């Protein structure tokens, strides 16, 4: 009842050692290449052309490779909103969200909503100029929700 595994799986016993040890041979080649690169790095340590990257360059590379750039640009926009719209308008509005290329700005009153709505072309140009990498296809301005007239106490008409 205890058949060899090779016979149960219908494997060719002549090819079995090559199939099993192929992974180990490939791994040994990778390890050998890594050790050679490490030895070359130590030999050229401190020589011209081997200067380390600055921390800023590494963070920039991580941001690009990790697709963090839009999030960082959005945070930069939120932190410097007053430089985009001016200090007075910035006191009455805030960057609410950014999804699928749509930037949503929330204003505190209908008057500021109207003001910002008229400024959308200028805002688009300023943001594209100052924040390269934040692809904005549309800007929407929202304000406080308009409440319908009150019908009296508890939603009923007064009589």
């Amino acid at each position: 009842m205890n058949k060899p595994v090779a016979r149960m799986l219908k494997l060719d016993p002549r090819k079995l050692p090559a199939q099993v040890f192929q992974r180990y041979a490939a791994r040994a080649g990778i390890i050998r290449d890594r050790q050679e690169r490490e030895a070359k790095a130590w030999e050229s340590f401190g020589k011209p052309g081997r200067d380390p990257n600055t921390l800023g360059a590494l963070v920039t590379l991580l941001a690009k490779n990790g697709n963090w750039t839009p999030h960082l640009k959005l945070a930069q926009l939120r932190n410097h909103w007053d430089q985009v719209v001016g200090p007075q308008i910035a006191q009455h509005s805030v960057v609410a969200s950014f999804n699928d290329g749509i930037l949503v700005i929330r204003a505190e009153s209908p008057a500021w909503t109207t003001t910002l709505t008229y400024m959308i072309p200028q805002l688009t140009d300023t943001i594209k100029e100052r924040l390269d990498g934040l692809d904005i296809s549309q800007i929407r301005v929202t304000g406080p929700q308009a409440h319908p007239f009150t019908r009296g106490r508890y939603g009923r008409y007064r009589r």
Side-chain angles (χ1 to χ4, degrees):
M1 288 294 230
N2 292 334
K3 292 183 184 178
V5 174
R7 201 175 289 165
M8 285 178 20
L9 296 176
K10 299 179 182 175
L11 298 174
D12 186 3
R14 293 170 294 176
K15 295 181 181 178
L16 192 58
Q19 291 172 349
V20 170
F21 293 107
Q22 186 177 11
R23 281 192 345 231
Y24 297 114
R27 175 102 173 121
I30 291 171
I31 292 171
R32 185 183 60 245
D33 291 343
R34 184 182 304 149
Q35 289 171 344
E36 287 175 6
R37 283 194 310 267
E38 286 176 4
K40 287 180 184 177
W42 277 110
E43 288 173 9
S44 63
F45 182 76
K47 292 182 180 176
R50 289 280 304 169
D51 295 332
N53 287 333
T54 61
L55 181 61
L58 292 174
V59 171
T60 302
L61 181 66
L62 285 173
K64 285 181 183 175
N65 291 344
N67 201 16
W68 294 350
T69 303
H71 301 289
L72 294 173
K73 295 294 183 177
L74 183 61
Q76 188 177 4
L77 178 64
R78 284 184 173 142
N79 290 337
H80 301 290
W81 181 237
D82 60 335
Q83 295 176 7
V84 175
V85 294
Q88 185 178 10
I89 296 174
Q91 290 177 351
H92 302 284
S93 63
V94 66
V95 176
S97 65
F98 179 71
N99 291 321
D100 298 326
I102 300 172
L103 178 68
V104 179
I105 301 168
R106 188 176 309 123
E108 71 177 22
S109 70
W112 288 111
T113 304
T114 303
T115 302
L116 282 163
T117 301
Y118 286 124
M119 290 179 61
I120 286 177
Q122 295 168 341
L123 290 174
T124 305
D125 293 341
T126 304
I127 291 170
K128 284 184 180 180
E129 176 187 318
R130 294 186 183 178
L131 295 172
D132 188 33
L134 187 63
D135 297 326
I136 296 175
S137 60
Q138 183 181 9
I139 296 179
R140 292 183 186 164
V141 180
T142 63
Q145 295 296 322
H147 299 287
F149 67 92
T150 315
R151 294 191 234 169
R153 197 169 188 179
Y154 306 114
R156 296 184 189 151
Y157 289 107
R158 286 190 193 188
R159 293 186 183 189

